[in-house]
Amino acid sequence: MSDEKVLITEEQIFKKAKEIGAEITEDFQGKDIILVGILKGSVMWMADLMKRIDLDLAIDFMAISSYGDEKQSSGVVKIIKDIDIAIEDKDVIIVEDIVDSGTTLAYLKSYLKNMNPKSISICTLLDKPEGRKTLVDIDYKGFEVDDVFIVGYGLDYAQKYRNLPYIKEL
């Protein structure tokens, strides 16, 4: 697990979590928010982010697949695990590890809208705009990355590399 092509360090990620956590705290004062983490990649980012949001909040998770063990999205979105708590009249923040094609998030946002939340926002650690096939509005963005395959800090290739404390190009 060499760190020869580190793109984003653990320190940079922590600093960004603090910044975005402060923004969310300011934007959602007095609101009933639910963070919905997209498994498995968002776990590390969501854990660091939520520690820096100074509000009462609830969390839940969804598991969605469009990659399998491939390096490119299949374009077919499949919900493997749905949320367990009601989001009606709540402010939902979808927490993602990376927005690439946008296909999964567009599908997910549409899917969750049917549950009548008050609002849906998107918070992603990484944004890869060059890979975009579907327009998606991102409310809170950590870092923009080039169109390369990256791993670490929750992002994987065939379930490996998730435990790296930084992000690197594979």
Side-chain angles (χ1 to χ4, degrees):
M1 290 197 292
S2 170
D3 60 357
E4 66 220 40
K5 286 189 175 181
V6 173
L7 301 174
I8 303 168
T9 67
E10 186 174 24
E11 293 76 22
Q12 290 172 300
I13 295 167
F14 288 167
K15 183 178 179 203
K16 191 59 75 172
K18 188 176 180 180
E19 288 171 19
I20 293 174
E23 270 186 76
I24 290 171
T25 299
E26 186 176 315
D27 293 350
F28 287 89
Q29 284 293 325
K31 298 189 177 184
D32 199 355
I33 65 172
I34 300 174
L35 300 182
V36 176
I38 307 306
L39 296 172
K40 302 174 185 168
S42 74
V43 170
M44 289 173 79
W45 170 237
M46 186 159 146
D48 286 330
L49 178 67
M50 64 191 249
K51 287 186 273 186
R52 289 154 179 94
I53 298 173
D54 191 19
L55 300 169
D56 289 333
L57 56 83
I59 67 168
D60 205 345
F61 293 93
M62 291 183 78
I64 297 163
S65 175
S66 70
Y67 277 81
D69 286 342
E70 303 303 316
K71 286 189 177 181
Q72 287 190 320
S73 173
S74 66
V76 177
V77 179
K78 182 172 138 189
I79 294 178
I80 298 163
K81 183 221 174 288
D82 207 338
I83 54 175
D84 297 319
I85 57 180
I87 63 170
E88 187 171 351
D89 295 324
K90 312 272 194 221
D91 292 289
V92 174
I93 302 172
I94 299 169
V95 180
E96 261 288 25
D97 54 355
I98 187 167
V99 178
D100 189 353
S101 71
T103 305
T104 301
L105 266 182
Y107 175 87
L108 180 58
K109 199 168 181 181
S110 171
Y111 177 82
L112 292 175
K113 273 186 183 172
N114 291 327
M115 298 178 191
N116 301 313
K118 191 176 287 181
S119 70
I120 300 175
S121 302
I122 295 173
C123 174
T124 187
L125 173 60
L126 304 170
D127 181 24
K128 192 189 286 188
E130 288 177 48
R132 200 79 80 245
K133 293 180 179 137
T134 305
L135 184 62
V136 176
D137 290 325
I138 300 170
D139 303 278
Y140 306 96
K141 180 183 350 181
F143 303 92
E144 200 167 286
V145 293
D146 293 331
D147 195 13
V148 295
F149 198 84
I150 52 180
V151 295
Y153 201 77
L155 290 99
D156 75 302
Y157 174 63
Q159 300 302 322
K160 294 185 175 132
Y161 308 106
R162 287 191 195 277
N163 61 317
L164 296 177
Y166 48 80
I167 293 167
K168 73 173 198 165
E169 184 178 341
L170 186 65

